Amino acid sequence: MICALPENYTAVQRTKSDMEKDAKIYVAGHRGLVGSAIWDGLKKKGYTNLIGRTSKELDLLDDGAVNRFFEDHHPDYVFLAAAYVGGIMANNKYRADFIFRNLNIQNNVIGKSFLYGVKKLLFLGSTCIYPRDSEQPIKESSLLTRPLEYTNEPYAIAKIAGLKMCESFNLQYGTNYIAVMPTNLYGPNDNFDLERSHVLPAMVRKIHLAKCLSDNDFTSIRRDLNKRPVEGVDGNANVEAVRAVLSKYRITSSGVTLWGTGRPLREFLWSEEMADACIYIMENVNFDDLKGSSEEIRNCHINIGTGKDLSIKDLAYLIAKTMDYKGTLSFDATKPDGTMRKLTDVSKLHALGWHHKIEIEEGVERIYNWYIGDMQK
């Protein structure tokens, strides 16, 4: 345990340099939305010594297992993209899971990175760390200035703890751990679970299923449910069972009902661009570049986003248009909206030399095509 280190403990000597192409790079969460994009991005850039483990192969909640992994492999660089994530419904329902699991994952991976001399670590947080009523666009300096959004407060607190852990290790021990706060992400290998997914993939799947119902296309519905069963209902279920479970999620042949008023504004970034930004930062940015000269060093994390947003309602209609869906889109105002606006200030990121390229219209078309293609596999 970190707190049990003796006073005379000397950590492994660390150097601050660009990543070598043959360096050992551990991507924690390499099968997830962000981790898989980082993994693929590293391979495309010529990195040859990547290390990844599935959750079955390495339980990041198990301190002993994580210690053995670091002892065996001694990675030079770490991308901490592993996390327990979900949308507004899951965050509000599984509050203990979101804070407990994420704190443990972070403690284990960051702690062992320190003990085993990792040269550089990138920790991925979330813009939900910022107060509910932050001034827009949200600057990194807004952290801890006002109360958090209630529905995802446990997850946000866990991510704030991870950010502060990186910052504190850097200040006390001279490590080179950088925390980045991505906006809402979407892309290949996203989570399309109807209960636990984030807003954009959830709407893509709901509207797609509503379109299939309106077209009486049960072949596509069965293909969808075989890939991703809903509450145990897969493509082999009878028509009545399929309609019943989809109706539970407000998906019918006449239309689909989405959570909230549709008024909240959200910013979205294509996951492969997020990965590109992460790799760029690991290759080009060090903690010393971020800390400034103030006596009190804080808010050294980096927002990653587009600096552009749109309403949830406009996003829903954009998805429907992309699919050529002509059914009804409704919004249930009795369900929570969450924070009304979360637009990131990306001026720090731009000053460091990185800008996004994929706009939301192109991204929605990409994710829908990926989703359809994934069901064919």
Side-chain angles (χ1 to χ4, degrees):
M1 298 293 290
I2 295 297
C3 61
L5 289 175
E7 291 184 3
N8 62 353
Y9 174 81
T10 301
V12 177
Q13 182 65 38
R14 293 165 172 82
T15 59
K16 298 177 181 179
S17 61
D18 292 339
M19 291 191 296
E20 308 82 13
K21 296 298 183 182
D22 61 349
K24 287 185 179 179
I25 303 174
Y26 171 44
V27 182
H30 76 295
R31 293 282 185 86
L33 171 65
V34 178
S36 64
I38 290 173
W39 182 276
D40 292 342
L42 287 167
K43 289 178 68 177
K44 289 176 182 176
K45 295 199 73 173
Y47 291 95
T48 59
N49 199 356
L50 307 185
I51 307 169
R53 293 291 182 273
T54 66
S55 57
K56 290 183 179 179
E57 294 168 336
L58 175 61
D59 181 2
L60 295 179
L61 296 172
D62 184 336
D63 180 77
V66 177
N67 187 75
R68 288 189 294 274
F69 170 81
F70 274 81
E71 186 176 34
D72 290 343
H73 296 281
H74 283 273
D76 299 306
Y77 300 91
V78 171
F79 288 84
L80 179 42
Y84 184 70
V85 299
I88 186 171
M89 181 164 62
N91 268 272
N92 201 29
K93 184 175 181 180
Y94 305 108
R95 300 176 74 85
D97 289 335
F98 274 90
I99 191 167
F100 179 82
R101 295 189 185 191
N102 284 298
L103 284 174
N104 275 278
I105 289 170
Q106 295 162 191
N107 289 345
N108 291 338
V109 175
I110 296 173
K112 297 307 179 286
S113 293
F114 172 73
L115 290 176
Y116 288 95
V118 165
K119 294 178 182 179
K120 197 171 183 180
L121 176 144
L122 189 84
F123 170 72
L124 286 105
S126 166
T127 53
C128 73
I129 65 168
Y130 293 117
R132 176 184 174 91
D133 299 319
S134 294
E135 293 183 6
Q136 304 290 322
I138 308 171
K139 297 180 180 295
E140 287 86 352
S141 57
S142 295
L143 182 66
L144 297 176
T145 57
R146 296 176 185 174
L148 297 165
E149 158 63 30
Y150 176 76
T151 53
N152 59 19
E153 185 179 66
Y155 178 74
I157 288 173
K159 288 300 179 180
I160 293 170
L163 178 162
K164 287 297 181 182
M165 192 181 304
C166 291
E167 183 181 279
S168 299
F169 269 99
N170 291 340
L171 295 174
Q172 183 173 346
Y173 291 109
T175 52
N176 196 12
Y177 303 163
I178 297 177
V180 297
M181 300 299 124
T183 189
N184 299 285
L185 302 174
Y186 67 107
N189 300 310
D190 215 329
N191 175 14
F192 292 86
D193 183 276
L194 292 180
E195 183 182 27
R196 299 173 187 267
S197 61
H198 287 119
V199 59
L200 194 152
M203 287 200 295
V204 166
R205 189 180 186 194
K206 286 180 178 180
I207 296 171
H208 168 72
L209 289 169
K211 182 178 188 300
C212 292
L213 283 173
S214 66
D215 294 342
N216 202 30
D217 182 4
F218 270 84
T219 299
S220 294
I221 292 173
R222 293 187 186 283
R223 188 180 294 124
D224 180 287
L225 293 177
N226 278 330
K227 187 75 176 183
R228 298 176 179 86
V230 177
E231 297 188 6
V233 177
D234 61 18
N236 297 312
N238 60 46
V239 172
E240 290 75 16
V242 169
R243 289 187 182 276
V245 75
L246 294 183
S247 178
K248 181 176 178 180
Y249 290 90
R250 314 289 291 277
I251 304 166
T252 69
S253 58
S254 60
V256 58
T257 301
L258 305 169
W259 270 41
T261 64
R263 291 197 303 269
L265 296 166
R266 290 292 181 269
E267 173 186 15
F268 296 94
L269 178 66
W270 184 248
S271 61
E272 292 173 329
E273 289 211 294
M274 170 62 188
D276 185 68
C278 289
I279 296 169
Y280 176 88
I281 289 167
M282 282 288 269
E283 290 177 331
N284 297 286
V285 181
N286 293 307
F287 180 71
D288 286 345
D289 302 321
L290 303 169
K291 68 180 183 180
S293 57
S294 173
E295 182 177 344
E296 291 189 355
I297 297 172
R298 53 166 60 98
N299 301 325
C300 299
H301 56 287
I302 306 168
N303 289 338
I304 298 183
T306 66
K308 303 176 182 180
D309 58 9
L310 77 168
S311 73
I312 295 298
K313 181 176 288 187
D314 286 343
L315 174 63
Y317 281 104
L318 173 60
I319 293 170
K321 180 181 178 181
T322 301
M323 297 182 188
D324 194 29
Y325 174 62
K326 296 179 172 58
T328 301
L329 295 178
S330 303
F331 292 85
D332 184 353
T334 67
K335 301 297 184 182
D337 273 328
T339 305
M340 290 307 294
R341 194 182 191 197
K342 289 198 301 182
L343 178 64
T344 58
D345 183 318
V346 289
S347 56
K348 181 189 287 190
L349 180 64
H350 288 175
L352 292 168
W354 190 91
H355 296 73
H356 83 285
K357 297 174 182 174
I358 298 174
E359 303 296 352
I360 187 66
E361 294 81 7
E362 178 184 350
V364 166
E365 185 173 358
R366 284 189 180 204
I367 192 60
Y368 182 55
N369 289 337
W370 182 90
Y371 182 73
I372 296 300
D374 187 58
M375 284 193 295
Q376 310 297 330
K377 296 178 181 178

